[in-house]
Amino acid sequence: MGSASGAAVAVDGAGGVLHPDDLPDGLVVADASGRVVCFNAAAARITALPADEALGRPLESALPLEDLDGRRWWRLTEPYGGLSTRTGQPECNLLLPGGREVLVSARYVRERPGGPVVRLVVQLRGTEARRRTERSHAELIATVAHELRSPLTSVKGFTATLLAKWERFTDDQKRLMLQTVDADADRVTRLIAELLDISRIDSGRLEVRRQPVDMAGAVRRHVAAQTARGQRPDRFVIEVVEPLPPLWADPDKIDQVLGNLLENAVRHGGGTVTMEVAPAVTSAGTEGTAVTVSDEGPGIPEGAMTRVFTRFWRGSKRGGTGLGLYIVKGIVEAHGGTITVGRADRGGARFRFTLPVGAPAFLTQG
């Protein structure tokens, strides 16, 4: 009991000493009589109760937990007087005085199976991280519902109209309606693909199928696609610094990255869009390829730089799900690369990603 928290020290596997105040979660320990003998710094922070006020008090008094129905948790669980076969309580959401939520789990320590509880160990965790995750999931669902509603309403409206009044429309009118339906179906398909990518990125299951990639050729192809959609050819500048190292990457996913960054520059930027491809050294000191996409628009505010690659960040109010750059970062990192954002020389946004040269799976196995 040599510390302010009343904690006995624990010895780690290397023979060093670990103090309870070093633990990131709250730790509360009660003895065989139910009085608190350990109340670490994290527990004091979570409960807003100083350790010296908790030590020596009955556990029910120092940690007056209630369930979500307002019932006293210790009276419900009876750790000292309940079934002698119980070993603890799984994590659950409980309330501290004032309605503050906390995640609580407990372990009952017995000297022998079926014997009395000689020590009760309680772990406390704040709910902030879980709340952030829940809010993120809720926002994702709301965003998806909003983005799906518009194209699906359009598809339903046009198809219902065509089925009901097919003979009344000219061939040109029918073609225009079907083209709109086709475009909206593509929009739904892209959104579903984004959701699948997010799921794989979040779970660490994003697969990278490495093949030889001509990065300069891929950049030129994406610029050509933009001009085919009506952008002026003189709006784009392509700079290639050769010789480029051979690059092994997933062509489809690299297309996704390039398409997203170029579309972002065209839609939210301004002036000339410059794409540079050059050899580079990765953060690990290995050979790689870097691609830089910059524009001459208003750029990204300094305070927003750290949020650019998070979910739902939008550089403007001009539509989009705000998921594209989050996916771009996930794809680049799945390749072992890095991506940064900054201000371009002429004031616009500047995105730069670097990929290691990589190697196909059959060359790295064994």
Side-chain angles (χ1 to χ4, degrees):
M1 309 293 179
S3 71
S5 60
V9 295
V11 181
D12 66 20
V17 174
L18 175 66
H19 195 280
D21 285 348
D22 296 333
L23 298 173
D25 295 332
L27 176 67
V28 180
V29 181
D31 62 14
S33 66
R35 294 192 175 272
V36 176
V37 295
C38 174
F39 204 85
N40 74 347
R45 184 185 71 253
I46 292 170
T47 62
L49 178 67
D52 56 0
E53 294 184 20
L55 294 172
R57 289 172 60 178
L59 181 62
E60 187 173 345
S61 171
L63 202 60
L65 296 167
E66 296 181 352
D67 66 12
L68 300 182
D69 294 323
R71 297 173 297 183
R72 289 298 185 93
W73 195 60
W74 298 117
R75 294 177 185 173
L76 288 174
T77 56
E78 290 191 288
Y80 292 95
L83 292 173
S84 60
T85 56
R86 292 188 301 176
T87 59
Q89 293 290 336
E91 185 175 77
C92 61
N93 200 359
L94 299 175
L95 301 176
L96 288 166
R100 196 167 18 163
E101 294 186 17
V102 61
L103 299 172
V104 182
S105 58
R107 180 165 181 261
Y108 306 159
V109 180
R110 307 175 189 272
E111 287 185 342
R112 65 182 187 281
V117 173
V118 296
R119 190 162 59 254
L120 181 65
V121 182
V122 181
Q123 176 181 274
L124 306 175
R125 292 197 298 133
T127 59
E128 293 81 5
R130 177 177 288 186
R131 290 297 182 201
R132 284 194 297 270
T133 300
E134 290 174 351
R135 282 196 298 270
S136 179
H137 289 164
E139 191 171 355
L140 179 61
I141 292 170
T143 298
V144 171
H146 175 77
E147 292 294 325
L148 284 174
R149 184 182 296 116
S150 177
L152 290 178
T153 300
S154 171
V155 167
K156 178 62 177 175
F158 278 119
T159 53
T161 301
L162 285 169
L163 287 171
K165 304 176 181 180
W166 179 267
E167 296 82 4
R168 299 186 187 182
F169 297 107
T170 66
D171 287 345
D172 288 341
Q173 289 173 324
K174 293 173 183 175
R175 184 178 298 105
L176 178 60
M177 289 185 184
L178 290 173
Q179 286 172 342
T180 304
V181 169
D182 185 62
D184 284 332
D186 287 342
R187 184 174 163 192
V188 172
T189 301
R190 284 195 301 271
L191 181 59
I192 292 172
E194 284 185 345
L195 292 175
L196 290 173
D197 286 335
I198 287 175
S199 173
R200 295 182 184 114
I201 289 168
D202 288 348
S203 62
R205 294 186 293 106
L206 188 66
E207 292 186 6
V208 174
R209 303 179 187 276
R210 296 184 185 272
Q211 301 174 36
V213 172
D214 177 5
M215 186 65 82
V219 167
R220 294 188 183 100
R221 188 173 67 253
H222 279 275
V223 169
Q226 286 289 333
T227 58
R229 288 197 288 266
Q231 293 293 328
R232 301 189 325 271
D234 61 357
R235 189 180 178 188
F236 303 96
V237 173
I238 301 174
E239 299 175 352
V240 180
V241 179
E242 293 182 313
L244 292 171
L247 176 66
W248 290 81
D250 190 313
D252 292 336
K253 289 182 172 54
I254 296 304
D255 277 342
Q256 210 173 336
V257 171
L258 292 174
N260 195 296
L261 293 179
L262 185 56
E263 181 69 27
N264 189 70
V266 169
R267 180 182 297 180
H268 302 293
T272 300
V273 176
T274 302
M275 300 189 74
E276 179 191 88
V277 185
V281 176
T282 69
S283 58
T286 59
E287 190 179 23
T289 298
V291 177
T292 305
V293 182
S294 55
D295 62 72
E296 298 174 344
I300 299 169
E302 198 68 32
M305 291 286 188
T306 57
R307 304 196 307 273
V308 167
F309 297 110
T310 59
R311 289 184 186 181
F312 312 117
W313 183 86
R314 295 179 177 89
S316 72
K317 296 181 180 179
R318 284 178 278 178
T321 61
L323 300 173
L325 291 176
Y326 177 82
I327 293 172
V328 163
K329 183 173 184 287
I331 291 173
V332 170
E333 292 181 346
H335 281 81
T338 57
I339 186 168
T340 58
V341 62
R343 187 167 292 279
D345 294 338
R346 298 189 180 182
R350 177 180 182 270
F351 289 88
R352 185 176 192 267
F353 68 91
T354 304
L355 300 177
V357 294
F362 69 84
L363 290 181
T364 59
Q365 293 174 350

